[in-house]
Amino acid sequence: FEAGARQVWAIYPRERLAYLYDSPVKLRIITDGDDLIGGDVIPGFQLPLARLFPPALPRDGSSTTNGNA
């Protein structure tokens, strides 16, 4: 923020979430069910956070393929 940034996005693909900093002490956490919104920094920007990540595996960790190559 010392360099003039008005907002910082830290994206964590493994956890499927993002930290949005509006200041060094103001943090919002969004998950892959939320939208990343540019607010007054990037007016009109809106992106479902899930689009940044590969499709989620089923909760049991099994693959959705049938094993055939």
Side-chain angles (χ1 to χ4, degrees):
F1 291 94
E2 289 180 22
R6 294 173 40 206
Q7 191 174 74
V8 174
W9 301 342
I11 310 295
Y12 297 95
R14 183 171 290 165
E15 292 81 10
R16 302 181 68 84
L17 56 82
Y19 287 10
L20 282 61
Y21 293 91
D22 292 309
S23 78
V25 295
K26 184 177 177 189
L27 168 66
R28 291 179 287 146
I29 300 173
I30 64 171
T31 65
D32 64 356
D34 300 318
D35 287 349
L36 186 56
I37 298 173
D40 63 346
V41 178
I42 308 173
F45 178 84
Q46 183 172 349
L47 177 73
L49 191 63
R51 290 193 54 199
L52 297 178
F53 309 130
L57 291 174
R59 292 238 176 232
D60 65 4
S62 64
S63 174
T64 57
T65 62
N66 63 10
N68 294 332

Short mmCIF file of all heavy atoms in Angstrom, two decimals:
data_model
loop_
_atom_site.label_atom_id
_atom_site.label_comp_id
_atom_site.label_asym_id
_atom_site.label_seq_id
_atom_site.Cartn_x
_atom_site.Cartn_y
_atom_site.Cartn_z
N PHE A 1 0.82 -1.19 0.00
CA PHE A 1 0.00 0.00 0.00
C PHE A 1 0.87 1.27 0.00
O PHE A 1 0.43 2.30 -0.46
CB PHE A 1 -0.98 -0.02 1.16
CG PHE A 1 -2.03 -1.08 0.97
CD1 PHE A 1 -1.90 -2.33 1.50
CD2 PHE A 1 -3.17 -0.81 0.21
CE1 PHE A 1 -2.87 -3.30 1.31
CE2 PHE A 1 -4.14 -1.76 0.00
CZ PHE A 1 -3.99 -3.01 0.55
N GLU A 2 2.09 1.13 0.51
CA GLU A 2 3.00 2.26 0.49
C GLU A 2 3.32 2.71 -0.93
O GLU A 2 3.61 3.87 -1.17
CB GLU A 2 4.30 1.91 1.23
CG GLU A 2 4.14 1.80 2.72
CD GLU A 2 5.44 1.46 3.41
OE1 GLU A 2 6.51 1.71 2.84
OE2 GLU A 2 5.37 0.94 4.53
N ALA A 3 3.25 1.78 -1.88
CA ALA A 3 3.54 2.09 -3.28
C ALA A 3 2.33 2.65 -4.02
O ALA A 3 2.41 2.94 -5.20
CB ALA A 3 4.05 0.84 -4.00
N GLY A 4 1.19 2.77 -3.34
CA GLY A 4 0.00 3.35 -3.95
C GLY A 4 -1.10 2.37 -4.30
O GLY A 4 -2.11 2.76 -4.88
N ALA A 5 -0.90 1.08 -3.99
CA ALA A 5 -1.96 0.10 -4.26
C ALA A 5 -3.19 0.45 -3.45
O ALA A 5 -3.11 0.85 -2.29
CB ALA A 5 -1.50 -1.31 -3.91
N ARG A 6 -4.35 0.33 -4.07
CA ARG A 6 -5.61 0.60 -3.37
C ARG A 6 -6.29 -0.68 -2.91
O ARG A 6 -7.16 -0.67 -2.05
CB ARG A 6 -6.54 1.39 -4.29
CG ARG A 6 -5.98 2.78 -4.57
CD ARG A 6 -6.74 3.56 -5.61
NE ARG A 6 -8.18 3.43 -5.54
CZ ARG A 6 -8.98 3.60 -6.59
NH1 ARG A 6 -8.48 3.89 -7.77
NH2 ARG A 6 -10.27 3.48 -6.44
N GLN A 7 -5.88 -1.81 -3.49
CA GLN A 7 -6.44 -3.09 -3.10
C GLN A 7 -5.45 -4.17 -3.51
O GLN A 7 -4.77 -4.04 -4.53
CB GLN A 7 -7.79 -3.33 -3.79
CG GLN A 7 -8.57 -4.51 -3.26
CD GLN A 7 -9.95 -4.59 -3.87
OE1 GLN A 7 -10.07 -4.96 -5.04
NE2 GLN A 7 -10.96 -4.22 -3.11
N VAL A 8 -5.36 -5.22 -2.71
CA VAL A 8 -4.48 -6.35 -3.01
C VAL A 8 -5.30 -7.62 -2.93
O VAL A 8 -6.07 -7.81 -1.99
CB VAL A 8 -3.30 -6.41 -2.00
CG1 VAL A 8 -2.48 -7.67 -2.23
CG2 VAL A 8 -2.44 -5.16 -2.11
N TRP A 9 -5.14 -8.46 -3.95
CA TRP A 9 -5.80 -9.77 -3.96
C TRP A 9 -4.72 -10.83 -3.82
O TRP A 9 -3.78 -10.87 -4.60
CB TRP A 9 -6.55 -10.02 -5.27
CG TRP A 9 -7.61 -9.04 -5.61
CD1 TRP A 9 -8.23 -8.14 -4.79
CD2 TRP A 9 -8.19 -8.85 -6.90
NE1 TRP A 9 -9.16 -7.42 -5.48
CE2 TRP A 9 -9.16 -7.82 -6.79
CE3 TRP A 9 -8.01 -9.42 -8.13
CZ2 TRP A 9 -9.92 -7.39 -7.86
CZ3 TRP A 9 -8.77 -8.99 -9.21
CH2 TRP A 9 -9.72 -7.98 -9.06
N ALA A 10 -4.86 -11.70 -2.85
CA ALA A 10 -3.98 -12.86 -2.69
C ALA A 10 -4.83 -14.10 -2.95
O ALA A 10 -5.77 -14.37 -2.21
CB ALA A 10 -3.37 -12.89 -1.30
N ILE A 11 -4.50 -14.82 -4.03
CA ILE A 11 -5.29 -15.97 -4.45
C ILE A 11 -4.60 -17.25 -3.99
O ILE A 11 -3.40 -17.43 -4.21
CB ILE A 11 -5.44 -16.00 -6.00
CG1 ILE A 11 -5.90 -14.64 -6.54
CG2 ILE A 11 -6.34 -17.15 -6.44
CD1 ILE A 11 -7.27 -14.22 -6.11
N TYR A 12 -5.35 -18.14 -3.36
CA TYR A 12 -4.83 -19.39 -2.84
C TYR A 12 -5.56 -20.56 -3.50
O TYR A 12 -6.59 -21.02 -3.00
CB TYR A 12 -4.97 -19.45 -1.32
CG TYR A 12 -4.17 -18.37 -0.62
CD1 TYR A 12 -4.75 -17.17 -0.27
CD2 TYR A 12 -2.81 -18.56 -0.38
CE1 TYR A 12 -4.00 -16.17 0.34
CE2 TYR A 12 -2.06 -17.57 0.23
CZ TYR A 12 -2.66 -16.38 0.58
OH TYR A 12 -1.92 -15.38 1.18
N PRO A 13 -5.05 -21.04 -4.64
CA PRO A 13 -5.76 -22.10 -5.39
C PRO A 13 -5.96 -23.39 -4.59
O PRO A 13 -7.02 -24.00 -4.67
CB PRO A 13 -4.86 -22.35 -6.60
CG PRO A 13 -4.03 -21.13 -6.73
CD PRO A 13 -3.87 -20.58 -5.34
N ARG A 14 -4.97 -23.81 -3.83
CA ARG A 14 -5.09 -25.06 -3.08
C ARG A 14 -6.24 -25.00 -2.08
O ARG A 14 -6.98 -25.97 -1.90
CB ARG A 14 -3.78 -25.39 -2.37
CG ARG A 14 -3.83 -26.72 -1.65
CD ARG A 14 -2.48 -27.12 -1.15
NE ARG A 14 -1.67 -27.46 -2.32
CZ ARG A 14 -0.36 -27.59 -2.30
NH1 ARG A 14 0.31 -27.41 -1.20
NH2 ARG A 14 0.29 -27.91 -3.40
N GLU A 15 -6.41 -23.84 -1.46
CA GLU A 15 -7.49 -23.67 -0.49
C GLU A 15 -8.78 -23.19 -1.13
O GLU A 15 -9.81 -23.11 -0.48
CB GLU A 15 -7.06 -22.67 0.60
CG GLU A 15 -5.96 -23.18 1.49
CD GLU A 15 -4.57 -23.04 0.88
OE1 GLU A 15 -4.42 -22.36 -0.16
OE2 GLU A 15 -3.63 -23.61 1.44
N ARG A 16 -8.71 -22.82 -2.43
CA ARG A 16 -9.85 -22.36 -3.20
C ARG A 16 -10.49 -21.11 -2.56
O ARG A 16 -11.70 -21.00 -2.42
CB ARG A 16 -10.87 -23.47 -3.41
CG ARG A 16 -10.29 -24.69 -4.11
CD ARG A 16 -11.30 -25.78 -4.35
NE ARG A 16 -12.30 -25.38 -5.31
CZ ARG A 16 -12.18 -25.45 -6.63
NH1 ARG A 16 -11.08 -25.89 -7.18
NH2 ARG A 16 -13.16 -25.08 -7.42
N LEU A 17 -9.62 -20.17 -2.20
CA LEU A 17 -10.11 -18.92 -1.61
C LEU A 17 -9.17 -17.78 -1.97
O LEU A 17 -8.11 -17.99 -2.54
CB LEU A 17 -10.28 -19.04 -0.10
CG LEU A 17 -9.10 -19.48 0.77
CD1 LEU A 17 -8.17 -18.33 1.07
CD2 LEU A 17 -9.64 -20.05 2.06
N ALA A 18 -9.60 -16.57 -1.65
CA ALA A 18 -8.79 -15.38 -1.88
C ALA A 18 -8.90 -14.45 -0.69
O ALA A 18 -9.95 -14.35 -0.05
CB ALA A 18 -9.26 -14.66 -3.14
N TYR A 19 -7.81 -13.77 -0.39
CA TYR A 19 -7.78 -12.71 0.61
C TYR A 19 -7.81 -11.39 -0.14
O TYR A 19 -6.97 -11.16 -1.01
CB TYR A 19 -6.53 -12.78 1.45
CG TYR A 19 -6.44 -13.91 2.46
CD1 TYR A 19 -7.36 -14.94 2.47
CD2 TYR A 19 -5.42 -13.94 3.39
CE1 TYR A 19 -7.27 -15.97 3.39
CE2 TYR A 19 -5.31 -14.97 4.31
CZ TYR A 19 -6.24 -15.97 4.31
OH TYR A 19 -6.14 -16.99 5.22
N LEU A 20 -8.75 -10.53 0.18
CA LEU A 20 -8.85 -9.21 -0.43
C LEU A 20 -8.52 -8.17 0.63
O LEU A 20 -9.23 -8.04 1.62
CB LEU A 20 -10.26 -8.96 -0.97
CG LEU A 20 -10.61 -9.63 -2.30
CD1 LEU A 20 -10.54 -11.13 -2.24
CD2 LEU A 20 -11.96 -9.17 -2.76
N TYR A 21 -7.44 -7.47 0.41
CA TYR A 21 -7.00 -6.43 1.34
C TYR A 21 -7.39 -5.07 0.78
O TYR A 21 -7.00 -4.72 -0.34
CB TYR A 21 -5.49 -6.47 1.53
CG TYR A 21 -4.98 -7.70 2.24
CD1 TYR A 21 -4.61 -8.83 1.52
CD2 TYR A 21 -4.86 -7.72 3.62
CE1 TYR A 21 -4.12 -9.96 2.16
CE2 TYR A 21 -4.38 -8.85 4.27
CZ TYR A 21 -4.01 -9.96 3.53
OH TYR A 21 -3.54 -11.07 4.18
N ASP A 22 -8.16 -4.30 1.54
CA ASP A 22 -8.48 -2.93 1.18
C ASP A 22 -7.53 -1.96 1.87
O ASP A 22 -7.49 -0.78 1.53
CB ASP A 22 -9.93 -2.60 1.55
CG ASP A 22 -10.91 -3.39 0.70
OD1 ASP A 22 -10.77 -3.37 -0.53
OD2 ASP A 22 -11.80 -4.04 1.27
N SER A 23 -6.77 -2.46 2.82
CA SER A 23 -5.71 -1.73 3.51
C SER A 23 -4.86 -2.81 4.20
O SER A 23 -5.26 -3.98 4.21
CB SER A 23 -6.30 -0.77 4.54
OG SER A 23 -6.69 -1.44 5.70
N PRO A 24 -3.73 -2.45 4.76
CA PRO A 24 -2.92 -3.47 5.43
C PRO A 24 -3.63 -4.16 6.60
O PRO A 24 -3.24 -5.25 7.00
CB PRO A 24 -1.71 -2.68 5.94
CG PRO A 24 -1.60 -1.53 5.01
CD PRO A 24 -3.03 -1.17 4.67
N VAL A 25 -4.70 -3.55 7.11
CA VAL A 25 -5.39 -4.13 8.27
C VAL A 25 -6.85 -4.49 7.98
O VAL A 25 -7.53 -5.03 8.85
CB VAL A 25 -5.33 -3.19 9.49
CG1 VAL A 25 -3.90 -3.03 9.96
CG2 VAL A 25 -5.95 -1.84 9.18
N LYS A 26 -7.34 -4.22 6.78
CA LYS A 26 -8.73 -4.54 6.43
C LYS A 26 -8.74 -5.70 5.43
O LYS A 26 -8.33 -5.54 4.29
CB LYS A 26 -9.46 -3.33 5.84
CG LYS A 26 -10.92 -3.59 5.57
CD LYS A 26 -11.63 -2.36 5.06
CE LYS A 26 -13.08 -2.68 4.73
NZ LYS A 26 -13.71 -1.56 4.03
N LEU A 27 -9.17 -6.85 5.90
CA LEU A 27 -9.13 -8.09 5.12
C LEU A 27 -10.52 -8.66 4.95
O LEU A 27 -11.31 -8.72 5.90
CB LEU A 27 -8.25 -9.12 5.85
CG LEU A 27 -8.29 -10.56 5.35
CD1 LEU A 27 -7.73 -10.67 3.94
CD2 LEU A 27 -7.55 -11.45 6.31
N ARG A 28 -10.82 -9.11 3.72
CA ARG A 28 -12.02 -9.89 3.45
C ARG A 28 -11.56 -11.21 2.84
O ARG A 28 -10.65 -11.24 2.03
CB ARG A 28 -12.94 -9.17 2.43
CG ARG A 28 -13.57 -7.93 3.00
CD ARG A 28 -14.44 -7.22 1.98
NE ARG A 28 -13.57 -6.57 1.00
CZ ARG A 28 -13.85 -6.43 -0.29
NH1 ARG A 28 -14.97 -6.91 -0.79
NH2 ARG A 28 -13.02 -5.80 -1.10
N ILE A 29 -12.19 -12.30 3.24
CA ILE A 29 -11.87 -13.61 2.69
C ILE A 29 -13.06 -14.08 1.89
O ILE A 29 -14.18 -14.09 2.39
CB ILE A 29 -11.54 -14.61 3.82
CG1 ILE A 29 -10.33 -14.12 4.62
CG2 ILE A 29 -11.27 -16.00 3.22
CD1 ILE A 29 -10.03 -14.95 5.85
N ILE A 30 -12.81 -14.47 0.63
CA ILE A 30 -13.88 -15.01 -0.20
C ILE A 30 -13.52 -16.42 -0.61
O ILE A 30 -12.34 -16.76 -0.72
CB ILE A 30 -14.20 -14.11 -1.42
CG1 ILE A 30 -13.03 -14.03 -2.39
CG2 ILE A 30 -14.63 -12.72 -0.98
CD1 ILE A 30 -13.37 -13.36 -3.70
N THR A 31 -14.53 -17.24 -0.82
CA THR A 31 -14.33 -18.63 -1.21
C THR A 31 -14.80 -18.83 -2.65
O THR A 31 -15.33 -17.92 -3.27
CB THR A 31 -15.09 -19.58 -0.27
OG1 THR A 31 -16.49 -19.35 -0.44
CG2 THR A 31 -14.70 -19.35 1.18
N ASP A 32 -14.62 -20.05 -3.14
CA ASP A 32 -14.95 -20.32 -4.54
C ASP A 32 -16.45 -20.26 -4.84
O ASP A 32 -16.84 -20.35 -5.98
CB ASP A 32 -14.34 -21.62 -5.03
CG ASP A 32 -14.87 -22.85 -4.32
OD1 ASP A 32 -15.66 -22.73 -3.37
OD2 ASP A 32 -14.48 -23.96 -4.74
N GLY A 33 -17.28 -20.02 -3.84
CA GLY A 33 -18.70 -19.79 -4.07
C GLY A 33 -19.05 -18.31 -4.20
O GLY A 33 -20.19 -17.96 -4.44
N ASP A 34 -18.03 -17.46 -4.05
CA ASP A 34 -18.23 -16.00 -4.09
C ASP A 34 -17.69 -15.41 -5.39
O ASP A 34 -16.95 -16.06 -6.12
CB ASP A 34 -17.50 -15.34 -2.90
CG ASP A 34 -18.00 -15.82 -1.55
OD1 ASP A 34 -19.22 -15.97 -1.40
OD2 ASP A 34 -17.16 -16.03 -0.67
N ASP A 35 -18.03 -14.16 -5.62
CA ASP A 35 -17.51 -13.42 -6.77
C ASP A 35 -16.40 -12.49 -6.33
O ASP A 35 -16.48 -11.87 -5.27
CB ASP A 35 -18.61 -12.58 -7.44
CG ASP A 35 -19.61 -13.42 -8.20
OD1 ASP A 35 -19.37 -14.63 -8.40
OD2 ASP A 35 -20.63 -12.87 -8.61
N LEU A 36 -15.38 -12.40 -7.16
CA LEU A 36 -14.33 -11.41 -6.98
C LEU A 36 -14.82 -10.14 -7.66
O LEU A 36 -15.12 -10.15 -8.85
CB LEU A 36 -13.05 -11.92 -7.64
CG LEU A 36 -11.77 -11.14 -7.48
CD1 LEU A 36 -11.42 -10.92 -6.02
CD2 LEU A 36 -10.64 -11.85 -8.20
N ILE A 37 -14.98 -9.06 -6.91
CA ILE A 37 -15.58 -7.83 -7.42
C ILE A 37 -14.56 -6.71 -7.32
O ILE A 37 -13.94 -6.52 -6.26
CB ILE A 37 -16.87 -7.50 -6.65
CG1 ILE A 37 -17.89 -8.63 -6.86
CG2 ILE A 37 -17.44 -6.16 -7.08
CD1 ILE A 37 -19.14 -8.51 -6.02
N GLY A 38 -14.42 -5.95 -8.39
CA GLY A 38 -13.44 -4.89 -8.45
C GLY A 38 -13.79 -3.65 -7.67
O GLY A 38 -12.91 -2.83 -7.40
N GLY A 39 -15.05 -3.47 -7.30
CA GLY A 39 -15.47 -2.29 -6.53
C GLY A 39 -15.11 -0.99 -7.22
O GLY A 39 -15.19 -0.89 -8.44
N ASP A 40 -14.64 -0.03 -6.46
CA ASP A 40 -14.28 1.26 -7.05
C ASP A 40 -12.88 1.24 -7.65
O ASP A 40 -12.47 2.19 -8.31
CB ASP A 40 -14.44 2.40 -6.04
CG ASP A 40 -13.51 2.27 -4.84
OD1 ASP A 40 -12.93 1.18 -4.64
OD2 ASP A 40 -13.36 3.26 -4.12
N VAL A 41 -12.12 0.15 -7.43
CA VAL A 41 -10.78 0.04 -8.01
C VAL A 41 -10.85 -0.37 -9.48
O VAL A 41 -10.16 0.19 -10.32
CB VAL A 41 -9.92 -0.96 -7.20
CG1 VAL A 41 -8.55 -1.13 -7.82
CG2 VAL A 41 -9.81 -0.51 -5.75
N ILE A 42 -11.70 -1.35 -9.78
CA ILE A 42 -11.93 -1.80 -11.16
C ILE A 42 -13.44 -1.84 -11.36
O ILE A 42 -14.07 -2.90 -11.28
CB ILE A 42 -11.32 -3.18 -11.44
CG1 ILE A 42 -9.85 -3.23 -11.04
CG2 ILE A 42 -11.47 -3.53 -12.93
CD1 ILE A 42 -9.23 -4.61 -11.14
N PRO A 43 -14.08 -0.68 -11.59
CA PRO A 43 -15.54 -0.64 -11.71
C PRO A 43 -16.06 -1.61 -12.78
O PRO A 43 -15.50 -1.70 -13.88
CB PRO A 43 -15.82 0.81 -12.10
CG PRO A 43 -14.63 1.57 -11.62
CD PRO A 43 -13.47 0.63 -11.77
N GLY A 44 -17.09 -2.35 -12.41
CA GLY A 44 -17.73 -3.27 -13.35
C GLY A 44 -17.09 -4.65 -13.40
O GLY A 44 -17.65 -5.57 -13.98
N PHE A 45 -15.92 -4.84 -12.78
CA PHE A 45 -15.26 -6.15 -12.81
C PHE A 45 -15.94 -7.07 -11.81
O PHE A 45 -16.11 -6.74 -10.64
CB PHE A 45 -13.78 -6.03 -12.46
CG PHE A 45 -13.07 -7.35 -12.43
CD1 PHE A 45 -12.58 -7.91 -13.58
CD2 PHE A 45 -12.91 -8.05 -11.24
CE1 PHE A 45 -11.93 -9.14 -13.56
CE2 PHE A 45 -12.27 -9.27 -11.19
CZ PHE A 45 -11.77 -9.81 -12.36
N GLN A 46 -16.32 -8.25 -12.30
CA GLN A 46 -16.92 -9.28 -11.45
C GLN A 46 -16.58 -10.63 -12.04
O GLN A 46 -16.81 -10.86 -13.23
CB GLN A 46 -18.43 -9.09 -11.34
CG GLN A 46 -19.08 -10.08 -10.40
CD GLN A 46 -20.55 -9.77 -10.16
OE1 GLN A 46 -21.06 -8.71 -10.53
NE2 GLN A 46 -21.25 -10.68 -9.52
N LEU A 47 -16.02 -11.52 -11.25
CA LEU A 47 -15.61 -12.84 -11.71
C LEU A 47 -15.89 -13.86 -10.62
O LEU A 47 -15.45 -13.69 -9.48
CB LEU A 47 -14.10 -12.84 -12.02
CG LEU A 47 -13.50 -14.17 -12.44
CD1 LEU A 47 -13.93 -14.53 -13.86
CD2 LEU A 47 -11.98 -14.10 -12.36
N PRO A 48 -16.64 -14.92 -10.94
CA PRO A 48 -16.81 -15.98 -9.95
C PRO A 48 -15.43 -16.56 -9.62
O PRO A 48 -14.68 -16.97 -10.52
CB PRO A 48 -17.68 -17.02 -10.66
CG PRO A 48 -18.37 -16.25 -11.75
CD PRO A 48 -17.38 -15.19 -12.18
N LEU A 49 -15.06 -16.55 -8.37
CA LEU A 49 -13.73 -17.00 -7.97
C LEU A 49 -13.48 -18.44 -8.43
O LEU A 49 -12.36 -18.79 -8.79
CB LEU A 49 -13.57 -16.89 -6.45
CG LEU A 49 -12.15 -17.09 -5.92
CD1 LEU A 49 -11.20 -16.03 -6.46
CD2 LEU A 49 -12.13 -17.11 -4.42
N ALA A 50 -14.49 -19.26 -8.47
CA ALA A 50 -14.34 -20.66 -8.88
C ALA A 50 -13.78 -20.78 -10.29
O ALA A 50 -13.13 -21.79 -10.62
CB ALA A 50 -15.69 -21.38 -8.80
N ARG A 51 -13.95 -19.77 -11.14
CA ARG A 51 -13.42 -19.83 -12.50
C ARG A 51 -11.89 -19.79 -12.54
O ARG A 51 -11.28 -20.14 -13.54
CB ARG A 51 -13.98 -18.70 -13.34
CG ARG A 51 -15.48 -18.91 -13.62
CD ARG A 51 -16.03 -18.03 -14.67
NE ARG A 51 -15.29 -18.11 -15.92
CZ ARG A 51 -15.34 -17.19 -16.87
NH1 ARG A 51 -16.10 -16.13 -16.72
NH2 ARG A 51 -14.65 -17.32 -17.96
N LEU A 52 -11.27 -19.38 -11.45
CA LEU A 52 -9.80 -19.34 -11.40
C LEU A 52 -9.19 -20.69 -11.04
O LEU A 52 -7.99 -20.87 -11.15
CB LEU A 52 -9.34 -18.31 -10.37
CG LEU A 52 -9.71 -16.86 -10.65
CD1 LEU A 52 -9.21 -15.97 -9.51
CD2 LEU A 52 -9.12 -16.39 -11.97
N PHE A 53 -10.02 -21.63 -10.58
CA PHE A 53 -9.52 -22.90 -10.09
C PHE A 53 -9.98 -24.04 -10.98
O PHE A 53 -11.04 -23.96 -11.61
CB PHE A 53 -10.03 -23.16 -8.67
CG PHE A 53 -9.79 -22.01 -7.73
CD1 PHE A 53 -10.81 -21.50 -6.95
CD2 PHE A 53 -8.54 -21.43 -7.62
CE1 PHE A 53 -10.60 -20.46 -6.07
CE2 PHE A 53 -8.31 -20.37 -6.76
CZ PHE A 53 -9.34 -19.88 -5.98
N PRO A 54 -9.24 -25.16 -10.99
CA PRO A 54 -9.73 -26.34 -11.71
C PRO A 54 -10.97 -26.87 -11.01
O PRO A 54 -11.22 -26.54 -9.84
CB PRO A 54 -8.57 -27.33 -11.60
CG PRO A 54 -7.76 -26.88 -10.44
CD PRO A 54 -7.96 -25.39 -10.34
N PRO A 55 -11.76 -27.68 -11.71
CA PRO A 55 -12.97 -28.23 -11.07
C PRO A 55 -12.61 -28.96 -9.78
O PRO A 55 -11.58 -29.63 -9.69
CB PRO A 55 -13.52 -29.20 -12.10
CG PRO A 55 -12.94 -28.75 -13.40
CD PRO A 55 -11.60 -28.14 -13.07
N ALA A 56 -13.46 -28.81 -8.79
CA ALA A 56 -13.22 -29.46 -7.49
C ALA A 56 -13.47 -30.95 -7.61
O ALA A 56 -14.36 -31.39 -8.33
CB ALA A 56 -14.14 -28.85 -6.44
N LEU A 57 -12.67 -31.74 -6.89
CA LEU A 57 -12.90 -33.17 -6.82
C LEU A 57 -14.07 -33.44 -5.90
O LEU A 57 -14.38 -32.63 -5.02
CB LEU A 57 -11.66 -33.88 -6.27
CG LEU A 57 -10.44 -33.89 -7.18
CD1 LEU A 57 -9.26 -34.51 -6.43
CD2 LEU A 57 -10.71 -34.65 -8.46
N PRO A 58 -14.73 -34.59 -6.09
CA PRO A 58 -15.80 -34.96 -5.14
C PRO A 58 -15.25 -34.98 -3.72
O PRO A 58 -14.06 -35.21 -3.50
CB PRO A 58 -16.22 -36.35 -5.59
CG PRO A 58 -15.76 -36.46 -7.01
CD PRO A 58 -14.54 -35.58 -7.12
N ARG A 59 -16.09 -34.74 -2.74
CA ARG A 59 -15.66 -34.65 -1.33
C ARG A 59 -14.93 -35.90 -0.85
O ARG A 59 -14.07 -35.83 0.00
CB ARG A 59 -16.86 -34.39 -0.43
CG ARG A 59 -17.43 -33.02 -0.64
CD ARG A 59 -17.42 -32.27 0.64
NE ARG A 59 -17.89 -30.91 0.40
CZ ARG A 59 -17.22 -29.85 0.77
NH1 ARG A 59 -16.09 -29.99 1.39
NH2 ARG A 59 -17.70 -28.65 0.55
N ASP A 60 -15.25 -37.08 -1.42
CA ASP A 60 -14.58 -38.30 -0.98
C ASP A 60 -13.21 -38.46 -1.63
O ASP A 60 -12.49 -39.41 -1.34
CB ASP A 60 -15.45 -39.53 -1.23
CG ASP A 60 -15.68 -39.80 -2.72
OD1 ASP A 60 -15.12 -39.08 -3.57
OD2 ASP A 60 -16.43 -40.74 -3.03
N GLY A 61 -12.83 -37.52 -2.53
CA GLY A 61 -11.52 -37.56 -3.16
C GLY A 61 -11.43 -38.47 -4.36
O GLY A 61 -10.39 -38.57 -4.99
N SER A 62 -12.52 -39.17 -4.69
CA SER A 62 -12.46 -40.09 -5.82
C SER A 62 -12.55 -39.31 -7.12
O SER A 62 -13.03 -38.21 -7.19
CB SER A 62 -13.63 -41.08 -5.74
OG SER A 62 -14.86 -40.40 -5.86
N SER A 63 -12.05 -39.92 -8.15
CA SER A 63 -12.07 -39.32 -9.48
C SER A 63 -13.42 -39.57 -10.12
O SER A 63 -14.11 -40.54 -9.83
CB SER A 63 -10.96 -39.95 -10.33
OG SER A 63 -11.05 -39.49 -11.66
N THR A 64 -13.80 -38.65 -11.03
CA THR A 64 -15.07 -38.83 -11.73
C THR A 64 -14.90 -39.61 -13.02
O THR A 64 -15.85 -39.87 -13.72
CB THR A 64 -15.70 -37.46 -12.04
OG1 THR A 64 -14.79 -36.69 -12.82
CG2 THR A 64 -16.07 -36.73 -10.76
N THR A 65 -13.65 -40.00 -13.37
CA THR A 65 -13.44 -40.78 -14.59
C THR A 65 -13.69 -42.24 -14.30
O THR A 65 -13.63 -42.70 -13.16
CB THR A 65 -12.00 -40.58 -15.13
OG1 THR A 65 -11.07 -41.06 -14.14
CG2 THR A 65 -11.73 -39.11 -15.44
N ASN A 66 -13.90 -43.00 -15.37
CA ASN A 66 -14.20 -44.42 -15.18
C ASN A 66 -12.96 -45.29 -15.24
O ASN A 66 -13.07 -46.51 -15.21
CB ASN A 66 -15.25 -44.89 -16.20
CG ASN A 66 -14.75 -44.77 -17.63
OD1 ASN A 66 -13.56 -44.51 -17.86
ND2 ASN A 66 -15.65 -44.95 -18.59
N GLY A 67 -11.76 -44.69 -15.38
CA GLY A 67 -10.54 -45.47 -15.36
C GLY A 67 -10.10 -45.94 -16.72
O GLY A 67 -9.04 -46.53 -16.86
N ASN A 68 -10.92 -45.76 -17.75
CA ASN A 68 -10.52 -46.17 -19.10
C ASN A 68 -9.67 -45.10 -19.74
O ASN A 68 -9.96 -43.94 -19.63
CB ASN A 68 -11.76 -46.42 -19.97
CG ASN A 68 -12.58 -47.59 -19.47
OD1 ASN A 68 -12.03 -48.51 -18.86
ND2 ASN A 68 -13.88 -47.55 -19.71
N ALA A 69 -8.62 -45.52 -20.43
CA ALA A 69 -7.75 -44.55 -21.10
C ALA A 69 -8.19 -44.31 -22.51
O ALA A 69 -8.80 -45.06 -23.15
CB ALA A 69 -6.29 -45.05 -21.07
#
